[in-house]
Structures are given as structure tokens and as C-alpha cells.
Amino acid sequence: MAARSPYVITLDPADRQTLEALSRRGRAEHRQVLRARIVLFAADRQCNADIARALGVTVDTVRKWRKRFCREGLPGLVDRPRDGRPRVFPAAVVAEVKALACELPAQAEAPLARWSCPELAREAVTRGVCERVSASTVRRWLAADAIKPWQHRSWIFPRDPPRSRQPGCSTCMPASGKANRWARTTSS
């Protein structure tokens, strides 16, 4: 016979209703559903080993969430903030590198047609923005804001305002039949 937990859970009707709704929710995070089910089984006086076996988790997991719910209630089932690794680069450095990526290389007197991530990393070190930075770090920073300096000419062109398109104007007429078909499909 399995040992009973010292953390006995009794649910009031509102908490039970909340946990049952969470355990049935199809779009909830798996970990939240699992925690709700652990608490519901525990409230039905199941032992930790039986709950673990029924849900396919370890006994330590059941013990942890049973204990947290007993001490903190429903807020105890939420993840606690984690420290994580401290930032290596301050936000000012990241902002300066992003600003540099938005400049043309000619303004920085670099013999380039457009920036690449390794070139941006070298230029940031040359300007004294930071001591050293890798190209992959620069790429990650730029990807966070969808900045792509190597694509300074994009495929999206602003459209002319409708008043400038006059019949018979040679500068406004599409050059190929393909563009004509496109204009017909989008205008309808």
C-alpha cells in the first residue's frame, strides 16, 4: 500500500470548476492541463504513485504540484519567473548595431554595396560599439526586428496613388502582359 501524502487537497466548488475546465481545454498548454489533472486526482484522495502512473509522470512531479497547490492555491500552478543567463550586451549596444544596419555602407565609408552580418559585426567593433560580437549574434538581433540590410531593395514597391494613373500616360502603363493580368486580378 502506497504512503499517503501529508498534503491533503480539498477543493471548493469554484476551484474544482476552474481546474476541470482547464483539464478539458484543448488549446491550453500541456503543462497547465497536467498540473490541473494532478490536483484533481489529489483532491479525489489518490496517492502520488497512482496519480503518477495514471498521468505518465514521475512521483516527484506529482509531489511538487500537490505541495505547491496546498501552499499557494491556484496561483501556485503557474510557472515562477526564472533568472536565466544575464545579458551579455546592454540594450544600447543592440540598438546601435541595429541603427548601423539601417545605414548604407557608403555612409560608413565601407567599400560594400550592402551590409552582411559579418561585416556589421566587424564595423561595430571598429566603431567601438562593443569589444567583440559574432556575426550570428548580429543576425539574431536583426532577425528579432526583421531588419535585413542585405536586402535593401525589396520586392515590395509602393503603388502609385490612383489619381496619377491617367489613361494614355506612358509612364503609368504596365510594360508587360503579365503585369496587366496582375492589375486586372487585383483591381476587381
Side-chain angles (χ1 to χ4, degrees):
M1 177 145 186
R4 294 284 173 194
S5 173
Y7 300 100
V8 178
I9 294 176
T10 54
L11 294 175
D12 62 359
D15 284 348
R16 180 173 287 280
Q17 185 178 7
T18 303
L19 290 169
E20 285 176 352
L22 179 61
S23 70
R24 288 189 304 262
R25 194 175 311 155
R27 292 200 176 258
E29 291 183 17
H30 175 71
R31 59 183 161 200
Q32 292 297 329
V33 171
L34 181 66
R35 293 168 192 173
R37 288 180 180 164
I38 288 171
V39 172
L40 287 170
F41 275 124
D44 293 338
R45 307 287 185 239
Q46 297 279 332
C47 68
N48 290 347
D50 290 343
I51 297 171
R53 203 172 309 111
L55 297 176
V57 295
T58 64
V59 176
D60 288 337
T61 302
V62 174
R63 192 177 299 128
K64 172 184 178 177
W65 294 112
R66 180 189 282 249
K67 181 179 176 181
R68 288 255 301 258
F69 186 83
C70 279
R71 290 185 174 173
E72 302 171 31
L74 283 175
L77 299 181
V78 177
D79 285 333
R80 292 183 176 150
R82 299 178 184 181
D83 293 339
R85 181 177 168 199
R87 289 184 174 267
V88 176
F89 297 98
V93 170
V94 176
E96 284 186 57
V97 171
K98 288 179 181 180
L100 175 63
C102 293
E103 292 179 12
L104 290 174
Q107 292 173 341
E109 298 177 3
L112 302 168
R114 55 185 173 244
W115 288 115
S116 66
C117 290
E119 291 294 333
L120 280 169
R122 275 190 228 109
E123 185 66 23
V125 171
T126 303
R127 287 190 182 189
V129 173
C130 54
E131 275 186 40
R132 66 178 210 216
V133 64
S134 69
S136 61
T137 300
V138 170
R139 184 174 291 109
R140 214 172 26 256
W141 291 344
L142 298 179
D145 284 341
I147 299 172
K148 299 178 182 177
W150 51 90
Q151 293 179 351
H152 71 281
R153 293 179 192 233
S154 77
W155 55 272
I156 301 174
F157 296 105
R159 293 189 180 145
D160 293 333
R163 59 184 150 76
S164 68
R165 293 185 185 198
Q166 298 172 3
C169 176
S170 62
T171 58
C172 300
M173 298 300 285
S176 69
K178 191 175 198 178
N180 247 345
R181 282 193 304 274
W182 181 81
R184 273 186 254 128
T185 58
T186 57
S187 65
S188 56

